Amino acid sequence: MSRRLAPIVLTLLAGTAAWGPTLHAAAPKAVADTESVLRPARAAYVNLAGKGFGRYRFVATPDWAAMLAEQEKTNPEGYRAALDLFAKVRFDVRVGPQGDAQVSHNTVDSPNPQTTAGLNQVYSGMEQTLTGFFQTWTPFMVNTPFPPEGAASKVQDAGTHYLVDWEETGDVKVHLQMDRSFAITTMKVKSPAFDSTIRPTFERQKGGLVLAGYDAEFVSTASSMRLKVLISNKAIQDLPLPVALDLSVWMGAAAKQQILMTFSELNLEKKK
């Protein structure tokens, strides 16, 4: 499927009020002129690319103390050693003009091979967490989560909401539901590799709808995953960008795991 609809792939421990009303079904009626709905729907979103977004660079810092809280209870000495070690790790993130995230990190000296292996898991997990988040963030924020003008699609008016369906390359089928002000409440993607459902929530700002969080489920023949993501946004050069994340993940029947992280050393480059 296309990058703009790629799902989060999360393998590590995966304040404005959000807006997302409950919708009630009605008998849907086909909309003959699909652009009469899709054109204002595209315009309802913040569309950072249209406002000069170029690159966003920052340092991502997990809240290690919160993530290791259980270890503090059972192994206080190991907890303190882990905090000292993780405090030396730095994750630098660069988000490109198309929303693609690149994550780099320093290499921390470790006392033994076992610790080195653990650090490598942390490096890999954080990279997948951040790149996966921005894959989901991008269609709602950098561009708009609708088919491009001229693409084949079906739009139905169900009274309190709209239904939109279209297909993308790779035998990918997309279905979304949005309210009368074009805020998406559910997006479903069906592909040969997986099925996913994303329920986003938005902050309504002057420049358009801004992603504030989402619940999501991803199901394949081999595994299943459920996510809950809360996003703190901040205006940087008048563009709303994420500055903190609260991510929870449930892998199959496993208990919830959580990552809290903040972004610092924020730097936005606009297109000239």
Side-chain angles (χ1 to χ4, degrees):
M1 67 185 297
S2 68
R3 176 180 296 178
R4 67 189 186 84
L5 289 175
I8 280 189
V9 180
L10 180 59
T11 60
L12 183 65
L13 314 173
T16 306
W19 190 80
T22 300
L23 303 178
H24 301 283
K29 298 179 180 180
V31 176
D33 181 8
T34 58
E35 282 300 313
S36 68
V37 174
L38 294 178
R39 190 176 298 112
R42 296 186 194 102
Y45 287 75
V46 69
N47 190 358
L48 295 175
K51 293 179 170 62
F53 177 80
R55 285 183 174 82
Y56 181 36
R57 293 182 296 174
F58 58 88
V59 174
T61 304
D63 185 343
W64 300 115
M67 292 163 58
L68 298 173
E70 289 302 314
Q71 183 177 349
E72 182 183 18
K73 300 174 184 177
T74 59
N75 183 3
E77 184 177 346
Y79 166 80
R80 288 190 294 271
L83 285 187
D84 291 342
L85 188 65
F86 290 153
K88 301 174 184 177
V89 180
R90 175 185 171 104
F91 295 99
D92 289 279
V93 185
R94 183 177 67 176
V95 182
Q98 301 303 316
D100 50 310
Q102 296 180 346
V103 183
S104 60
H105 62 84
N106 61 336
T107 300
V108 175
D109 292 333
S110 60
N112 53 61
Q114 183 179 4
T115 302
T116 299
L119 282 169
N120 287 337
Q121 288 185 327
V122 168
Y123 299 149
S124 175
M126 279 295 295
E127 179 178 359
Q128 292 177 359
T129 298
L130 287 161
T131 56
F133 165 74
F134 280 102
Q135 285 176 339
T136 299
W137 176 85
T138 293
F140 296 105
M141 292 294 295
V142 176
N143 299 297
T144 62
F146 301 99
E149 188 170 357
S153 63
K154 180 174 72 173
V155 177
Q156 299 178 85
D157 187 337
T160 58
H161 58 283
Y162 294 105
L163 305 174
V164 184
D165 293 89
W166 73 96
E167 295 186 13
E168 298 205 350
T169 56
D171 194 24
V172 174
K173 296 178 175 62
V174 184
H175 168 83
L176 62 82
Q177 180 172 314
M178 61 183 175
D179 67 20
R180 302 298 295 190
S181 62
F182 311 114
I184 293 172
T185 55
T186 304
M187 172 180 278
K188 295 184 177 182
V189 179
K190 185 177 181 61
S191 74
F194 66 90
D195 293 343
S196 68
T197 301
I198 300 174
R199 301 178 186 86
T201 54
F202 299 94
E203 300 169 0
R204 191 171 294 280
Q205 298 189 8
K206 182 178 180 180
L209 294 170
V210 174
L211 188 66
Y214 54 88
D215 293 343
E217 294 96 35
F218 301 97
V219 179
S220 70
T221 55
S223 64
S224 65
M225 175 173 63
R226 182 163 65 93
L227 290 167
K228 183 177 181 62
V229 180
L230 302 176
I231 306 167
S232 295
N233 295 294
K234 177 181 178 180
I236 302 173
Q237 298 184 46
D238 298 324
L239 297 186
L241 295 170
V243 294
L245 300 177
D246 180 342
L247 306 98
S248 299
V249 61
W250 294 260
M251 296 292 295
K256 181 181 80 170
Q257 295 175 306
Q258 187 175 29
I259 288 180
L260 304 173
M261 71 175 77
T262 56
F263 302 164
S264 61
E265 299 183 31
L266 311 175
N267 180 272
L268 171 64
E269 298 177 22
K270 287 190 172 182
K271 296 177 182 177
K272 297 181 180 179

